[in-house]
Every structure is written in C-alpha cells, then in structure tokens.
Amino acid sequence: MSAPLVVSIPHRLGREEAARRLKTGLTRAATNVPMLKVDEERWDGDRMIFRVRAMGQAASGHVDVAEDHVTVEVVLPWLLQRFAEVAQAAIKSRGNLLLTKKS
C-alpha cells in the first residue's frame, strides 16, 4: 500500500460551518470532474469517509474537520500515484473554493 496523500486546508468558518459546506461539496465537486465518480460518502461525527473512482481505479480516504482547518487524507492506488501532485493541487484548490466562497 502506498503512503497517503495528505492535504491541510485552513479556514475561518468554525467546525460546524465547514462541515455543513463539505457535506454538500464532494458530490458536487465530482460532477465538475467527468472522470471522477463518488462510490461512498458517509459521515461519522466530524469525519467524512469516502471512496472515489477515477480511470477505473478506486481511491479511498477521509476528511477531518477541525475548528480552523480541514485535513484530507487519500490513499491512491499505484496506477494513480503518478498523478499525486495533480490530485493534491486539485484537492487544495477545490477545498479552498468551498471553504472560502461566501454561501
């Protein structure tokens, strides 16, 4: 198993508002990426556990929501490891949009 990809995204929303935005965010974000399909998204307190599929490969991970930041941890299959930097930038970019845009 490969090392997880970890992205930390700071925010000023507080835990509750950040979680509210994220609860609608993953599926909506996936619709903007045609080759990404959400297989699982479930919440356990302030942690979202997810599994997504891209290019026939499954990736799984979780999102932890804290008062001032969100941590995303994703385990990519070896075939998607070469896209780790691109995935990291995309996660950070979409996360920043979701957590900073006024709703």
Side-chain angles (χ1 to χ4, degrees), residues 1-52:
M1 184 187 297
S2 60
L5 173 69
V6 180
V7 179
S8 182
I9 305 165
H11 66 78
R12 295 184 179 145
L13 300 171
R15 183 185 320 260
E16 198 171 299
E17 175 63 10
R20 185 190 70 75
R21 291 184 183 200
L22 290 170
K23 285 181 181 178
T24 61
L26 179 62
T27 303
R28 191 174 61 216
T31 61
N32 295 326
V33 182
M35 63 181 171
L36 186 66
K37 180 181 181 290
V38 178
D39 288 340
E40 176 186 10
E41 177 181 346
R42 76 181 152 83
W43 284 85
D44 183 11
D46 293 324
R47 173 175 276 200
M48 175 180 58
I49 295 109
F50 65 88
R51 189 174 54 250
V52 294

Side-chain angles (χ1 to χ4, degrees), residues 68-81:
D68 62 351
H69 70 282
V70 169
T71 303
V72 181
E73 188 171 310
V74 184
V75 176
L76 297 172
W78 70 271
L79 283 174
L80 295 180
Q81 282 294 311

